[in-house]
Amino acid sequence: MPEAGLKELLEAGVHFGHQTRRWNPNMRRYIFGELDGIHIIDLVQTEELLENARRFAGELASGGGTVLFVGTKKQARSAVETWAQKCQMPFVSQRWLGGLLTNFNTISARISRLHELTGWQEEGKLDLLPTKERMGMQAELTKLEYNLGGVRDMERLPDAVFVTDLKTEEIAVREAVRLRIPIIGLVDTNCDPTQIDYVIPGNDDAIRSCELVIGTIGGAIESGAGAWRQQEEKRIAEEMERRRKEEEERKKREEEEKARLEAEQAAQAAAESGEPRPAGPEGSSSSRDDAAGKDPSSAPPAGGAPKQGAASAPAQPGAGASPAATSTKGQA
């Protein structure tokens, strides 16, 4: 990040303030003295406060924050546009449109209209309209470009506002204070620093002074924003890679599940086709016996003959009787 030392501040004329009769008493603590009726700003404090503001802006940008550059006076206009475009931050360099912060919903609608007209112009649709309508839309596009061209990519309220002249940008300061947005301000001896969060005492009327201060803050924002974009790109790439791997794993699981179901269905079909069909009337008994695992030769013969080992018929009376039983019967 570029740093501005005492030598650079002195060479740029940052120490020159306004005439002593046009000073603000609240700037007393930042004034070193006076010379030929002009207040001299204490550059030691300016260097320290500029470093604090630079560090704050760099940390804010490195976290993905947005800083709105505001500088509509001709001394700071060019530097504001240059550094804001380098940092890819929104800026206002022509005219502060009232309600840009406090009425951001309406401004967002006008920004959408600006994008719409710009798209029509790039696609050549405006040339197809009747002359009166085309001229009206071109005039509207020119006006929107003048007022909102620098904030066309601002989708939400900024996280901080960098103001180069508190007198000229009084409305912008009031809106930022009302919304409690931190303000980084280049404050001259004729301004009130009480509402500024990060005061940078210095000359806001010299071109070199404005360029030095804006370049210092802009360089810190550019470095921080660049580091954040690299991290964001890396995070997005990792997220895309993770999603791609998850999608591949999901497809692989689906294919495996599909193959398993197909294998089960094939096995079931093979089992059904391998079962024996029922035989006709002639071989029904032998088929049943075979299915039951019995030998047909072991079946009982026709006629209901008793099986081997069954009990024999009862013996005839008197046959095989003992002599004792016979003699007993004769005596009786």
Side-chain angles (χ1 to χ4, degrees):
M1 297 182 185
E3 298 181 5
L6 288 176
K7 180 180 179 181
E8 290 78 8
L9 295 173
L10 187 63
E11 291 177 352
V14 181
H15 58 290
F16 290 115
H18 280 273
Q19 298 176 353
T20 55
R21 58 186 178 84
R22 296 177 54 195
W23 75 306
N24 190 309
N26 291 328
M27 285 292 294
R28 184 190 305 273
R29 61 181 180 274
Y30 303 115
I31 296 176
F32 177 77
E34 69 174 88
L35 179 64
D36 296 335
I38 297 176
H39 278 131
I40 304 300
I41 299 173
D42 188 0
L43 291 183
V44 175
Q45 296 188 52
T46 300
E47 182 185 17
E48 180 181 356
L49 295 174
L50 180 60
E51 176 62 23
N52 293 337
R54 185 188 68 84
R55 188 182 303 110
F56 166 74
E59 292 176 355
L60 181 64
S62 62
T66 304
V67 180
L68 176 62
F69 287 72
V70 182
T72 59
K73 61 190 304 183
K74 60 182 181 180
Q75 292 91 334
R77 184 176 301 165
S78 177
V80 164
E81 293 178 357
T82 301
W83 279 102
Q85 292 174 359
K86 284 184 179 181
C87 303
Q88 300 181 13
M89 294 291 176
F91 64 92
V92 177
S93 61
Q94 298 295 335
R95 174 177 174 266
W96 178 267
L97 197 62
L100 181 61
L101 299 179
T102 54
N103 194 18
F104 188 69
N105 292 332
T106 303
I107 298 299
S108 298
R110 301 309 299 163
I111 292 175
S112 300
R113 177 62 173 172
L114 172 60
H115 286 291
E116 182 181 11
L117 293 177
T118 303
W120 288 358
Q121 186 180 30
E122 292 176 353
E123 295 174 0
K125 293 183 179 180
L126 292 182
D127 298 334
L128 303 177
L129 298 175
T131 304
K132 186 175 181 180
E133 294 183 10
R134 185 180 71 252
M135 293 178 63
M137 288 189 177
Q138 286 178 348
E140 182 182 2
L141 178 60
T142 302
K143 184 177 180 180
L144 290 174
E145 281 282 358
Y146 180 81
N147 292 326
L148 301 174
V151 295
R152 63 188 309 158
D153 296 327
M154 189 172 69
E155 300 178 353
R156 58 183 177 84
L157 289 174
D159 299 298
V161 178
F162 178 35
V163 182
T164 56
D165 188 355
L166 303 187
K167 286 285 187 180
T168 306
E169 319 300 345
E170 183 178 0
I171 300 176
V173 173
R174 288 181 180 179
E175 292 187 15
V177 170
R178 183 176 180 180
L179 297 176
R180 298 181 180 180
I181 299 176
I183 303 175
I184 304 172
L186 177 59
V187 186
D188 211 334
T189 56
N190 64 334
C191 301
D192 185 6
T194 55
Q195 296 180 335
I196 308 302
D197 298 281
Y198 295 90
V199 179
I200 304 175
N203 185 3
D204 60 3
D205 295 319
I207 296 177
R208 293 182 62 187
S209 175
C210 293
E211 289 180 350
L212 178 62
V213 175
I214 295 172
T216 303
I217 301 298
I221 296 174
E222 182 183 14
S223 300
W228 179 79
R229 291 189 190 97
Q230 291 179 358
Q231 295 177 359
E232 193 69 10
E233 291 176 358
K234 182 178 179 181
R235 184 188 66 81
I236 293 174
E238 293 176 352
E239 182 69 16
M240 294 297 292
E241 182 66 18
R242 184 183 64 82
R243 291 183 179 180
R244 185 184 63 81
K245 290 182 179 179
E246 290 180 355
E247 184 67 16
E248 291 179 354
E249 292 178 357
R250 184 183 64 81
K251 291 182 178 180
K252 184 177 179 181
R253 288 195 301 268
E254 291 179 355
E255 292 177 356
E256 292 178 353
E257 183 67 17
K258 184 178 179 180
R260 186 182 64 81
L261 293 176
E262 291 178 353
E264 290 180 355
Q265 292 177 359
Q268 184 177 1
E272 292 177 355
S273 62
E275 291 181 358
R277 296 181 180 180
E282 297 178 354
S284 58
S285 60
S286 61
S287 299
R288 286 194 299 269
D289 292 339
D290 293 340
K294 297 180 179 179
D295 187 3
S297 61
S298 63
K307 297 181 180 180
Q308 296 180 1
S312 59
Q316 294 293 330
S322 61
T326 305
S327 59
T328 305
K329 183 178 179 180
Q331 291 177 3

